[in-house]
Amino acid sequence: MQRKLLLCLAATAALAACKQEPAAPPAAAPTAPAPAPTHAFASAINAGDFGELVKTLASDEFEGRAPGSPGEELTVNYIRDQMQRIGLQPGNGDSWFQEVPMTETTADPNTVLKIQRGQDNQELKFGTDMVIGSRRGEPEIKIDASDMVFVGYGVDAPEQNWNDYAGQDWKGKTVVMFVNDPGFHVDDAKLFDGKRMTYYGRWTYKFEEAARKGAAAALIIHDTAGAAYGWDVVKNSWGGPQYDLPAAEDKEPRLQAQGWLSAEAARKLFADAGLDLDKAYKDANKRGFKPVPLQAALSLDLKSTIEQKKSRNVVGVLPGSKRADEAVLYMAHWDHLGKHEGEEGDNIYNGAVDNATGVAGILEIADAMAHQQTPPERSVVFLAVTLEESGLLGSQYYVNHPTFPLDKIAGVINIDAMSVNGRARDMTVTGFGSSELEDILKPLATAKGRTLHAETSVQSGFYFRSDHFNFAKAGVPALYADGGEDLIDGGVEAGKRAAEAYGKDHYHGPKDEYDPATWKVDGAIEDLELLYGVGQQLAGGDAWPNWYEGNPFKANRDAMMKGRSGEIGK
């Protein structure tokens, strides 16, 4: 997901496109050596070192850092070499690397959904009426006459006293649901978090919950406001190769098939069942909503091409001086969109802001922390993950195979697409109000004359679109903060113009290049100093921050910390 999305806030069209379409990793390539270092680095966080790191990672030589490409070899070796220079230790046993397996699935675009109601048969076409896919890594998925049931928002949230699935057996059924949270479409601030999307509003959650309930398939009804992007984004994102971890790597069940219905197809589906879609939106936002049979059965023969591929995370660690078995974790994704062969003109998608800045950021923090006067008492992990652009897969794999037990990780700090627009009077905390890590950040920011606030477009669920989310979902408190909108040089209007320009002209395109002539990195350096301060306090103390009360991830953290409750929240 991708804080990169926050840079697109002023550009509605750009926001719609951000973080929806997975990048396709090229085939694996021979090992290539990393470039020889030519820059003399200092230990303190500074603009010169930061710029040098970004310049190298975003250079044409690295070819856009696509997983599986020659650019991957250059990238992971360069990051490893920088970690060695800083004085870190290999973070995955005696290795700097963690191999990440991935499954590439390409659905047949000629696939149709067959809907039968009595003697009436209807076929929905891929891309026009629906999109469909499978995460099971199987070349063929067959579903025969699965009963279709409307389940409102498809949410089971005990802390909200809300369960759209209550009282029924869902095995083998196809569930149909709305995107976003209860309350969103009727503007009811009393339901969930009002306009602010929670985890329950994300389409990923809805498919996961349907699988946990035992459904065969799940379909989400698209609407532009609820999804925060148009149907074209859905169609483009679900067309072509899709990437996932192998099914054996997933601790959760997976649906046989999952996808989206266009608003037009959904309206007809409801009308044919004697239901009004507009009324369904109102009914689904009432407590006590009961699932509604759609008087139809779904059949599907989904054929897909399956390939198995690999990439790598890079892991370095600064061992703790007193409690080396406990850890604080900094992370950033190293991958971007690579080199687009056959594309005219500049065909290298360098990914300077997204996310050479984040990788440079964690390396700068590592250097400062490795050379601070008082060594950290806890270990500090510096994790550069792959396949963020393909669905947060590298971080998901790490969470499944952590180098420190998750109940030994005090907190995670994610850096993704730093602002290069200059210093700001504020700081954006994506998912503001989530965890007690913010209690550490706030006084540090206040001392710099900066205020913390949430992202502007809270309904879009940006917190769930970058790598920290996999840690959060597992229960580990995670902070995702940088940049600001109220620039010291130009105020809010200048911040909006910069955001719009990035979203329109640079994001996920070949113009996202390192530009020392126009970049103002003093703000990024100040952001890094603040994030360094958070980790410094956390690694130098014995506190165990938790999620705030009411946060959906708190239950998982409480469960993993059971037996150590006396340490939580110190």
Side-chain angles (χ1 to χ4, degrees):
M1 341 185 7
Q2 72 200 346
R3 249 272 291 140
K4 70 191 77 174
L5 292 168
L6 296 177
L7 299 175
C8 310
L9 288 175
T12 302
L15 268 177
C18 285
K19 206 64 186 145
Q20 302 303 323
E21 185 169 1
T31 299
T38 59
H39 179 85
F41 288 90
S43 59
I45 297 171
N46 67 88
D49 292 354
F50 177 79
E52 177 67 19
L53 292 165
V54 173
K55 181 179 71 173
T56 302
L57 288 163
S59 66
D60 282 354
E61 184 180 4
F62 280 53
E63 295 186 348
R65 306 188 306 278
S69 72
E72 166 165 345
E73 296 296 325
L74 290 169
T75 301
V76 298
N77 288 337
Y78 180 75
I79 296 170
R80 175 204 60 199
D81 291 348
Q82 294 303 315
M83 289 182 174
Q84 287 179 322
R85 169 187 63 78
I86 289 166
L88 303 184
Q89 300 297 314
N92 186 29
D94 60 359
S95 177
W96 294 95
F97 303 123
Q98 182 183 55
E99 192 172 84
V100 180
M102 57 187 179
T103 300
E104 178 187 274
T105 302
T106 306
D108 181 354
N110 295 313
T111 301
V112 296
L113 281 183
K114 297 181 180 179
I115 297 178
Q116 183 176 4
R117 181 177 287 106
Q119 300 300 313
D120 181 30
N121 292 295
Q122 180 186 2
E123 291 190 351
L124 302 184
K125 295 182 178 180
F126 192 101
T128 304
D129 306 312
M130 60 83 189
V131 293
I132 197 75
S134 176
R135 298 181 58 225
R136 291 197 173 185
E138 299 174 6
E140 186 171 17
I141 296 289
K142 286 190 175 183
I143 298 175
D144 184 31
S146 170
D147 288 340
M148 302 181 73
V149 184
F150 172 56
V151 292
Y153 285 86
V155 169
D156 182 358
E159 75 280 2
Q160 296 278 358
N161 192 28
W162 193 285
N163 188 356
D164 289 323
Y165 289 99
Q168 290 196 33
D169 179 7
W170 297 98
K171 186 176 181 180
K173 295 181 180 179
T174 295
V175 293
V176 180
M177 65 198 79
F178 295 138
V179 71
N180 219 301
D181 292 306
F184 176 81
H185 291 100
V186 294
D187 199 21
D188 186 347
K190 297 179 181 179
L191 292 181
F192 287 67
D193 282 356
K195 282 293 185 182
R196 178 177 182 169
M197 183 187 286
T198 73
Y199 172 43
Y200 300 113
R202 283 287 290 153
W203 57 269
T204 49
Y205 161 80
K206 295 175 187 295
F207 292 143
E208 292 164 1
E209 189 61 41
R212 284 190 285 267
K213 296 299 189 231
L219 298 169
I220 296 174
I221 297 170
H222 175 264
D223 75 276
T224 298
Y229 39 81
W231 178 254
D232 283 348
V233 172
V234 176
K235 179 177 67 175
N236 294 338
S237 296
W238 286 66
Q242 306 292 304
Y243 292 88
D244 216 317
L245 297 181
E249 285 294 332
D250 203 337
K251 300 174 184 178
E252 297 281 347
R254 295 185 179 186
L255 294 163
Q256 288 179 262
Q258 58 191 48
W260 294 70
L261 292 174
S262 71
E264 294 77 11
R267 190 169 295 279
K268 185 178 189 312
L269 175 67
F270 275 62
D272 289 347
L275 303 171
D276 180 83
L277 186 61
D278 295 327
K279 184 176 184 299
Y281 273 107
K282 296 178 182 178
D283 293 343
N285 282 278
K286 297 176 182 177
R287 290 196 180 276
F289 166 83
K290 301 296 182 184
V292 181
L294 291 172
Q295 311 300 330
L298 177 145
S299 296
L300 171 69
D301 186 357
L302 173 61
K303 294 182 174 65
S304 302
T305 302
I306 309 295
E307 291 189 45
Q308 303 299 328
K309 298 185 177 182
K310 296 178 180 179
S311 187
R312 281 165 294 175
N313 294 331
V314 189
V315 194
V317 64
L318 180 63
S321 62
K322 293 185 179 180
R323 296 184 304 284
D325 63 323
E326 300 173 1
V328 176
L329 188 145
Y330 283 92
M331 67 183 308
H333 75 90
W334 62 254
D335 64 301
H336 198 56
L337 305 185
K339 185 176 182 179
H340 291 208
E341 299 292 349
E343 194 169 291
E344 293 184 3
D346 184 359
N347 65 350
I348 297 176
Y349 288 56
N350 303 80
V353 168
D354 180 18
N355 185 34
T357 58
V359 176
I362 66 169
L363 291 173
E364 281 291 277
I365 290 173
D367 211 345
M369 198 163 286
H371 294 92
Q372 66 187 32
Q373 186 172 3
T374 303
E377 297 182 5
R378 286 170 164 155
S379 296
V380 186
V381 178
F382 296 91
L383 174 64
V385 296
T386 184
L387 292 163
E388 189 267 0
E389 301 290 1
S390 299
L392 317 182
L393 302 186
S395 55
Q396 182 182 346
Y397 187 82
Y398 181 90
V399 168
N400 290 352
H401 303 273
T403 57
F404 282 79
L406 298 183
D407 65 353
K408 291 286 190 176
I409 299 177
V412 170
I413 300 166
N414 181 34
I415 305 179
D416 191 355
M418 301 195 71
S419 170
V420 293
N421 301 324
R423 295 176 59 228
R425 299 178 179 89
D426 56 352
M427 191 173 195
T428 301
V429 178
T430 306
F432 184 69
S434 293
S435 85
E436 293 168 354
L437 292 172
E438 296 171 27
D439 297 339
I440 303 176
L441 175 62
K442 184 176 180 180
L444 297 173
T446 299
K448 292 285 188 179
R450 300 178 67 177
T451 58
L452 306 182
H453 60 77
E455 67 275 26
T456 301
S457 187
V458 294
Q459 72 273 16
S460 299
F462 293 153
Y463 189 80
F464 316 116
R465 302 188 185 190
S466 190
D467 286 300
H468 62 279
F469 175 56
N470 283 313
F471 288 87
K473 191 162 56 170
V476 183
L479 179 68
Y480 183 26
D482 63 30
E485 299 166 7
D486 185 5
L487 301 181
I488 289 178
D489 185 9
V492 173
E493 287 304 313
K496 288 182 177 180
R497 287 195 301 270
E500 183 174 4
Y502 176 79
K504 180 180 178 181
D505 300 326
H506 300 273
Y507 177 79
H508 276 198
K511 292 184 179 180
D512 185 6
E513 298 178 309
Y514 175 61
D515 186 357
T518 62
W519 281 21
K520 300 176 182 178
V521 301
D522 54 344
I525 298 305
E526 187 173 275
D527 294 341
L528 289 176
E529 290 170 344
L530 290 174
L531 296 177
Y532 163 66
V534 174
Q536 184 183 40
Q537 287 192 30
L538 198 54
D542 58 4
W544 292 95
N546 204 333
W547 302 95
Y548 291 136
E549 288 294 336
N551 188 285
F553 306 126
K554 188 175 187 299
N556 284 344
R557 186 59 164 181
D558 290 345
M560 78 167 66
M561 301 299 285
K562 189 176 181 180
R564 302 175 62 196
S565 59
E567 295 179 283
I568 299 174
K570 281 187 179 179

